[in-house]
Amino acid sequence: MKLFKSLALAALITAPVAAQAATAIYESGGDAFVAQYDVDWFGGDFYDDNLDDLDISVTGELEGASLTATLMVSDSTGTLLSSDTVVGSVWDIVDPDPAATLDRLTLTFGNLTGSAAALFGTTANVVFSFFEEDGDNGYFPGVNAQVFAGTTTPVPLPATLPLLAFAVAGGLAMGSRRKG
């Protein structure tokens, strides 16, 4: 039975494994402005406010259940990434939040264009991190924007890991054979 468990463990270890790695490709700090135009109609803008060469801009509108937005990432060479197609959103905002935890809004954009669009695959995720409690009449200072590749690439299993697993399983099998 011990040999069977050892072999089963070795098989699990040597099974093809892929981890998903997400890396922020662009990041910037800035300010956000949100306005309510009607009961179910909101508009918002994010502009980075640092003085580096990279500029991230997102403008959006939520009317009822319909969300539209435009993404623009640029530098001195021109447009790096652009899209006006929102394919998804995740709202992780607690309102009101007495503990003042970090709130997040993630927008997923498709139909990417620009000189860096190939880095992203088919989609780009823009994650805005902020404290909802810091908002003052629709103005949110200190918002962090990170742009991630929407499609992740598999991280391959090291080639020596299966050999190590078989060596461990063989050692366990030999040890159990000597005891038996």
Side-chain angles (χ1 to χ4, degrees), residues 60-147:
E61 190 173 285
L62 176 65
E63 188 170 3
S66 176
L67 175 64
T68 58
T70 301
L71 167 67
M72 176 71 70
V73 179
S74 60
D75 66 5
S76 62
T77 64
T79 301
L80 300 171
L81 188 65
S82 177
S83 175
D84 60 0
T85 305
V86 176
V87 296
S89 64
V90 176
W91 304 76
D92 186 14
I93 300 171
V94 179
D95 180 30
D97 184 6
T101 57
L102 189 65
D103 297 301
R104 288 185 182 81
L105 166 62
T106 303
L107 299 176
T108 302
F109 288 89
N111 295 331
L112 305 174
T113 60
S115 61
L119 294 173
F120 289 87
T122 58
T123 60
N125 294 315
V126 182
V127 179
F128 299 98
S129 303
F130 58 97
F131 289 97
E132 182 270 333
E133 296 76 24
D134 289 347
D136 182 24
N137 292 323
Y139 169 68
F140 294 88
V143 176
N144 186 45
Q146 295 179 306
V147 183

Side-chain angles (χ1 to χ4, degrees), residues 151-168:
T151 53
T152 55
T153 55
V155 177
L157 182 71
T160 58
L161 192 58
L163 293 173
L164 175 64
F166 281 120
V168 169

